[in-house]
Amino acid sequence: LKEKIKQIHQKRHQVFGCRKIYNELKGSGLKVNHKRVERLMKEEGLCAKAAKKFKATTNSKHQLPVAENLLNREFSASQPNQKMVSDITYIPTDEGWLYLAVFIDLFSRRVVGWQLSERIDAQLVCDALQAAMLMRGKPKGVLIHSDQGSQYCSAGFVKQVAHFKAMQSMSRRGNCWDNAVAESFFATLKKEAIYGQPLGTRQAVRAQVFEYVECDYNRTRRHSSNGWLSPIHFEHNYQQRSEVETV
């Protein structure tokens, strides 16, 4: 059991604590008490790395029109494509910064669209939104929530939101808790895939982000909000239930 705990702890770059490791073990079919997991981790000196302090990336000091906070911290959804949250973060490489924009479906916490760029501009979020909408089959009426960054207030992004017949919502200025799910994802990404790793070229970091988002986070990383299922597994179960109810 200690070896299994060590393997999970190492695989997750030493960021998983007792509760998450317990649920990984439980999800693999192993019957174990969470107090035992906690005790064994203490014996081995295993603990979770602390998250780094939040640092704002987008610039909300502008005169562009802002949208009302329609989401209002209601970070749950009854089905896919109801609500998406978005944000931008920076990732260091040995060739300079890369900027990552993501769109996360609040139903399953799945990253449904993302884009990396050397420029932190409106095109970055426009491309990420387009990727999300195309992947989801161009759903209508989606609530798109972000902060008040100039990228999200730009005429180009506002026009694209309207093109997809979506609704725009924005956090209160300077209040990161109004977009806590996106902030949490970035903290997870950086702890599990960026921090503690050697800097690489921009091309190498792009591949690293793709591997984490598409192969790890969406497919295998368990979420407490999903009953400790991965986003894709949670959506798959929902789809199966919907098909049974339709029949």
Side-chain angles (χ1 to χ4, degrees):
L1 181 57
K2 281 186 177 181
E3 286 304 313
K4 288 182 180 293
I5 291 172
K6 288 179 183 178
Q7 289 172 9
I8 295 172
H9 194 251
Q10 187 63 32
K11 180 181 177 182
R12 294 298 180 180
H13 304 282
Q14 300 90 47
V15 300
F16 269 21
C18 170
R19 185 180 64 159
K20 290 183 178 178
I21 289 181
Y22 162 74
N23 279 284
E24 286 284 325
L25 293 168
K26 183 179 177 182
S28 67
L30 187 65
K31 292 184 179 180
V32 62
N33 185 280
H34 73 278
K35 291 185 178 180
R36 187 183 181 197
V37 174
E38 182 179 12
R39 176 173 57 82
L40 294 178
M41 287 184 68
K42 286 183 178 179
E43 290 178 5
E44 295 299 312
L46 303 177
C47 59
K49 288 181 181 177
K52 292 193 176 183
K53 188 177 180 181
F54 164 79
K55 181 179 179 181
T57 303
T58 54
N59 175 25
S60 60
K61 294 181 180 179
H62 54 73
Q63 300 302 316
L64 298 169
V66 299
E68 183 182 351
N69 186 2
L70 299 176
L71 184 65
N72 197 29
R73 298 192 187 181
E74 292 292 333
F75 298 124
S76 61
S78 59
Q79 62 185 36
N81 305 326
Q82 282 185 336
K83 306 172 185 176
M84 295 181 189
V85 294
S86 179
D87 203 356
I88 304 171
T89 195
Y90 58 92
I91 299 177
T93 78
D94 59 13
E95 297 175 334
W97 296 108
L98 275 176
Y99 298 97
L100 172 66
V102 299
F103 283 83
I104 300 171
D105 192 314
L106 288 179
F107 172 71
S108 62
R109 301 300 197 264
R110 181 176 180 177
V111 178
V112 293
W114 59 279
Q115 185 69 28
L116 278 165
S117 174
E118 298 174 24
R119 298 172 60 86
I120 183 169
D121 55 14
Q123 192 61 48
L124 172 63
V125 293
C126 286
D127 289 345
L129 175 60
Q130 172 136 331
M133 289 301 188
L134 292 179
M135 198 280 279
R136 288 306 221 185
K138 298 182 180 180
K140 297 179 181 178
V142 183
L143 182 65
I144 304 293
H145 184 80
S146 69
D147 61 20
Q148 295 184 18
S150 58
Q151 298 87 351
Y152 295 103
C153 296
S154 67
F157 185 77
V158 172
K159 182 178 180 180
Q160 191 172 50
V161 170
H163 169 74
F164 286 115
K165 296 180 173 56
M167 299 176 291
Q168 197 165 6
S169 169
M170 290 184 181
S171 305
R172 290 165 293 179
R173 179 170 292 187
N175 194 322
C176 63
W177 297 109
D178 285 351
N179 203 12
V181 172
E183 299 292 349
S184 176
F185 168 76
F186 285 148
T188 298
L189 164 74
K190 291 183 177 182
K191 284 193 297 181
E192 297 186 6
I194 305 299
Y195 296 147
Q197 305 297 317
L199 296 181
T201 63
R202 285 192 172 104
Q203 182 178 357
V205 172
R206 287 178 185 274
Q208 192 175 346
V209 171
F210 175 87
E211 177 74 17
Y212 180 78
V213 173
E214 300 295 351
C215 303
D216 191 358
Y217 181 85
N218 279 343
R219 294 183 181 276
T220 67
R221 196 181 192 284
R222 301 174 189 275
H223 290 256
S224 58
S225 60
N226 291 346
W228 297 105
L229 297 176
S230 71
I232 286 181
H233 191 175
F234 186 73
E235 289 188 357
H236 178 71
N237 284 0
Y238 170 80
Q239 184 63 33
Q240 285 189 320
R241 291 196 304 270
S242 298
E243 290 174 357
V244 170
E245 291 173 359
T246 300
V247 173

